[in-house]
Amino acid sequence: MSIITSVRRCYHCGKVLQDKDPKKEGYINPTALISSRSNDLILCQECHEALHQNEVPAAADVSDEFLSMLKDAKKEGATIVYLVDLISFECSFNKEVLDLIVDLPVVIIASKWDLMPKDISVERTKEYVAHRFRAEGFKKAKGTDVILLDYNNSADATLASGMIKKKRNGKSVYVIGAKGAGKSAFLTSFLRQFKNTSNRGISIGAYKNTSLEVWQIPLDDTSYIYDTPGTGVKNSFLGKTTYPKDILVTTRITPRKQVVVLNGSLFIGGLARIDPISLSSEKKKTTFTCYFAPKVGLKSVSPKNDMTALFQKYIKNKALKPCVDWFKCQNDSDVFDFQLEEDGPRDIGIAGLGWVSFDGVKGDIYRLYVPKNIGAYASRAKIIKEKGTKK
Ligand SMILES: Nc1nc2c(ncn2[C@@H]2O[C@H](COP(=O)(O)OP(=O)(O)OP(=O)(O)O)[C@@H](O)[C@H]2O)c(=O)[nH]1
Ligand SMILES: [Mg+2]
């Protein structure tokens, strides 16, 4: 006689579950296995990750080594130069980073000003950047802490250098920000005006006790300015190993208008989709001003019975470009509803891709589909047009 028991398997892929080796098939965390009842339908870790949809937009990642470097900065009372890329920075914040720098003097540099549309207000843009920092919990950010930087304009770099000098009080300076934000480009402009008055040279190498590669530029005999490696952009299109180069904004962005009716959809390439699903205005439509790279195809679609099938057809036929091979169907997406909490100009944006701006009405709901693990946000509008105010 033998005792026969059924072997527990993954409900999705059917592999036999095991809790010993995460590198082997059918792995499941031991606590998840123990806490499940014998008749529960359970998934192996691989299927769980593949099928799981995020309940809140994916957040930016940061390494422990980076945090340990910031702990040194905190201990020293160093000044932080926080670089953000004006085109897409809203999803790049990390709470652990902000918590570590909250008591330090901070200069905020918003790069790629030259890529923003013409005729927008300098002061409003600075206030918007500060507002985004405050919204992330960095409460003390003010518009006057922000410098808008076009890396071709030496006056911008001079302004930034002056502000750093004023704030740093003889202490070191850490230039931080997401990968590709423009830290090294800023440091290059900074170096053009830099005179080394110390008896030490500029060096590139690992930051103490870490594998982080930093540029170390002596500001005097006891302090440095560090160009640090960018924080993670796993939650951005730009953090994916394969993303289409056509999404990159490399020339001044030109806004495009698209009118979308209630329950219709704005298809953004084969990459994302935004549907107004509840509108209180009598017009029952929204005019989106769209800020994306020029080769990102946009299409306003009127309501159809099966919008999911239609979007999938567009993706499959590559009817709108660009597309990516890791976003093939609705199951590959995270879906979020943004219900507006106030009236006025609002934005909905997608990490690394761009944003749409529209006149918001309190209570209206917009549904956003993005590839799984790509960050998204809703905010007050980044750009409010004012004539003749470009600096
Ligand atoms: N048009 C424009 N491009 C910029 C500006 N600043 C940076 N860039 C470009 O943005 C890209 C990334 O800039 P980097 O300075 O390498 O960014 P980083 O923050 O040092 O990136 P990591 O070292 O990877 O973290 C480069 O192609 C730069 O030429 C700017 O003000 N305007
Ligand atoms: Mg760099």
Side-chain angles (χ1 to χ4, degrees), residues 190-356:
F190 175 88
L191 279 174
R192 273 192 214 116
Q193 310 173 4
F194 167 78
K195 281 193 201 76
N196 189 352
T197 54
S198 79
N199 52 17
R200 293 170 301 173
I202 296 174
S203 61
I204 303 177
Y207 183 81
K208 52 185 174 231
N209 305 325
T210 73
S211 60
L212 303 174
E213 187 175 278
V214 297
W215 291 10
Q216 188 171 300
I217 302 156
L219 291 171
D220 52 39
D221 284 336
T222 54
S223 56
Y224 290 99
I225 184 164
Y226 297 99
D227 179 20
T228 71
T231 54
V233 287
K234 260 195 199 159
N235 68 336
S236 163
F237 272 98
L238 306 182
K240 305 289 169 197
T241 37
T242 53
Y243 70 82
K245 297 291 169 269
D246 286 350
I247 67 172
L248 288 177
V249 175
T250 53
T251 53
R252 193 185 295 285
I253 202 164
T254 307
R256 287 176 278 167
K257 298 251 190 233
Q258 292 284 333
V259 179
V260 182
V261 300
L262 181 65
N263 295 320
S265 188
L266 175 69
F267 291 178
I268 303 164
L271 305 175
R273 157 182 167 204
I274 304 180
D275 302 6
I277 61 165
S278 172
L279 297 177
S280 46
S281 85
E282 273 170 28
K283 291 184 197 143
K284 299 288 176 213
K285 60 184 177 188
T286 300
T287 302
F288 288 123
T289 306
C290 308
Y291 298 90
F292 298 98
K295 287 190 179 161
V296 174
L298 299 173
K299 170 92 182 158
S300 168
V301 179
S302 47
K304 304 275 179 324
N305 279 343
D306 194 343
M307 295 293 278
T308 302
L310 183 67
F311 189 44
Q312 273 175 205
K313 200 166 142 197
Y314 264 75
I315 295 175
K316 189 164 170 242
N317 298 341
K318 298 195 165 83
L320 267 189
K321 298 225 168 85
C323 296
V324 286
D325 58 10
W326 38 273
F327 186 51
K328 289 212 171 79
C329 67
Q330 192 108 331
N331 267 349
D332 294 338
S333 61
D334 281 335
V335 186
F336 304 107
D337 279 352
F338 293 102
Q339 177 161 20
L340 307 187
E341 288 178 320
E342 52 193 296
D343 293 343
R346 313 300 298 166
D347 286 354
I348 291 178
I350 302 158
L353 184 59
W355 73 100
V356 297

Side-chain angles (χ1 to χ4, degrees), residues 16-27:
V16 173
L17 293 169
Q18 55 90 16
D19 61 359
K20 300 285 179 294
D21 188 347
K23 290 197 193 88
K24 292 206 172 121
E25 67 173 38
Y27 178 74

Side-chain angles (χ1 to χ4, degrees), residues 368-381:
L368 175 70
Y369 297 75
V370 285
K372 212 184 284 178
N373 298 323
I374 294 289
Y377 66 94
S379 162
R380 67 162 74 156

Side-chain angles (χ1 to χ4, degrees), residues 55-128:
E55 279 162 21
V56 292
D61 54 302
V62 67
S63 72
D64 289 345
E65 288 194 327
F66 190 86
L67 294 174
S68 84
M69 179 184 70
L70 284 188
K71 282 178 194 152
D72 287 350
K74 185 174 172 175
K75 219 183 285 162
E76 190 194 337
T79 291
I80 300 295
V81 173
Y82 201 128
L83 243 297
V84 293
D85 166 353
L86 266 178
I87 300 297
S88 184
F89 69 94
E90 288 80 355
C91 299
S92 68
F93 293 103
N94 179 283
K95 188 171 177 319
E96 287 175 282
V97 169
L98 292 178
D99 284 351
L100 278 169
I101 66 171
V102 72
D103 295 324
L104 299 175
V106 171
V107 175
I108 299 171
I109 299 182
S111 70
K112 309 190 189 179
W113 174 240
D114 53 305
L115 300 180
M116 292 291 276
K118 282 204 159 126
D119 300 332
I120 61 172
S121 158
V122 172
E123 295 315 318
R124 273 184 195 270
T125 309
K126 287 183 181 179
E127 183 41 40
Y128 171 83

